[in-house]
Amino acid sequence: MRHPLHSLLPALCWAFLFLGVCNCLKNADQVRDRITHLPGQPANVEFSHYSGYVTVNETAGRALFYWFIESPASRNPEKRPLILWLNGGPGCSSIAYGAAEEIGPFHIKSDGKTLYLNPYSWNKLANLLFLESPAGVGFSYSNTTSDLNTSGDQRTAEDAYAFLVKWFDRFPQYKYRDFYIAGESYAGHYVPQLSQIVYQRNKGIKNPVINFKGFLVGNAVIDDYHDYIGTFEYWWTHGLISDSTYKYLHIACDSESATHPSSDCIRALSIAEREQGNIDPYSIYTPPCANTSALQHNLRGHYPWMSRAYDPCTERYSQFYFNIPEVQKALHANVTRIPYPWATCSDLVSNYWGDSPVSMLPIYRELIAAGLRIWVFSGDTDSVVPVTATRYSIDALKLPTVANWYPWYDNGKVGGWSQIYKGLTLVTVTGAGHEVPLHRPRQAFILLRSFLENKPLPNA
């Protein structure tokens, strides 16, 4: 159905052409994607937001779903940078996690039907672009069924880049804007891989359309070898496993086990899981949501110690809300009627994940040498991709130290610790789990503000 404003666009564009306000042909899609109202939203919404599909491969019919949320009008969105946010899994939705329970302005109440405003939404500091990636995740789809069981890192990165190129054509006012890529968990692969593609394809261009400045990742999968060492060490030093199991894990599991675990490694991991008991591994000091065990996935994620989806009660609210037909209509989502319910994570995509390099460290070295801004943050109560794994990985880069380990503060209280290296900043957030903005929203907001201003975290 044609939007009622569609026929007026040529006249409007000619009228405003001298102001450079719009590009007639490209902004028709922008008008179509504008969200006028979400079911259950609060009344005092002061920002514009858009959602819809961008086809990234015409032949296969792969289309990725996005939700773009501008800064409030009072905060001058035209002067704010643009951040692309990616969640990991692989196979998990950036709408479910990043947008709906972490950094987005709308969070879902326990009734699964109404929304409330997040006081620490990152759109107060930047314009936010959430992407459900790859095809098969959330509302993103492919008309080629085999695409859903042949996903992997390389195609995910290429499709995300194709998305960006087309998205900037749809939103030309964001061309040349300062642009950053951010994410968490297995997006520790997505973010640097996409960053590398953008950086390499910008080479030789004086004023690139995608004005890429750097990336930010949290509790990120970085390097298989160091993930193993750091994860097992965290379990042991935090009293989650026995001495004998700690030794057994080191014998049975090596860096190759991350993608192809041996039977001995699987047995060692099963013993470790039993010893840990009914805790939330993504936030070890947080009581798990009631009946969490009934919702746990039987199959693990790409890494054998990683359950695929963080499963506090908030995940349930997303599962309910985004399957409401009126919500999907308001979001311009599910227009092709995908033959399965919207889910926070896709078992199919995750279980059949293909290529996954053992380390992101070579990409870090390339992008550090390029002078891009790179920050890595870590919630220190996550036992899935723990702070010890991150520290081992960063140490392997052998970067010179600019500012040694120091506590940073929020209103006189320690918010975490930081170390500044030449080319990279490490930040920990005390008391935060795998999803730092979910558990420590105020501290995550302070972290982002410092990142965007390229300033150290406050030391007093």
Side-chain angles (χ1 to χ4, degrees), residues 75-157:
R75 291 179 177 258
N76 302 314
E78 68 280 358
K79 296 181 181 179
R80 299 279 176 180
L82 173 66
I83 295 177
L84 172 69
W85 176 271
L86 301 169
N87 276 91
C92 291
S93 164
S94 301
I95 304 300
Y97 297 100
E101 67 179 41
E102 295 187 79
I103 67 171
F106 292 124
H107 286 188
I108 305 169
K109 292 184 179 179
S110 59
D111 62 6
K113 298 177 182 179
T114 51
L115 307 173
Y116 65 95
L117 290 175
N118 170 18
Y120 297 108
S121 174
W122 285 13
N123 81 316
K124 294 182 178 180
L125 298 173
N127 302 286
L128 301 179
L129 178 57
F130 298 94
L131 179 65
E132 293 197 301
S133 173
V137 173
F139 293 122
S140 296
Y141 67 89
S142 176
N143 292 331
T144 304
T145 306
S146 61
D147 279 349
L148 304 188
N149 53 30
T150 56
S151 295
D153 281 22
Q154 183 174 352
R155 192 173 73 198
T156 297

Side-chain angles (χ1 to χ4, degrees), residues 291-368:
N291 299 321
T292 294
S293 58
L295 292 178
Q296 290 291 342
H297 297 274
N298 290 325
L299 294 172
R300 297 222 175 231
H302 184 72
Y303 288 83
W305 67 83
M306 290 174 66
S307 295
R308 191 158 37 263
Y310 177 66
D311 195 20
C313 295
T314 46
E315 184 187 11
R316 301 181 187 183
Y317 313 152
S318 292
Q319 189 86 23
F320 188 90
Y321 185 78
F322 291 112
N323 274 300
I324 297 173
E326 292 77 15
V327 171
Q328 295 184 359
K329 182 178 180 181
L331 287 169
H332 322 118
N334 201 11
V335 293
T336 61
R337 311 313 305 171
I338 51 179
Y340 46 83
W342 180 93
T344 55
C345 296
S346 167
D347 288 343
L348 183 62
V349 169
S350 179
N351 292 341
Y352 288 95
W353 197 259
D355 62 292
S356 177
V358 298
S359 180
M360 294 293 103
L361 294 180
I363 298 179
Y364 274 76
R365 293 186 180 98
E366 177 183 355
L367 299 185
I368 287 170

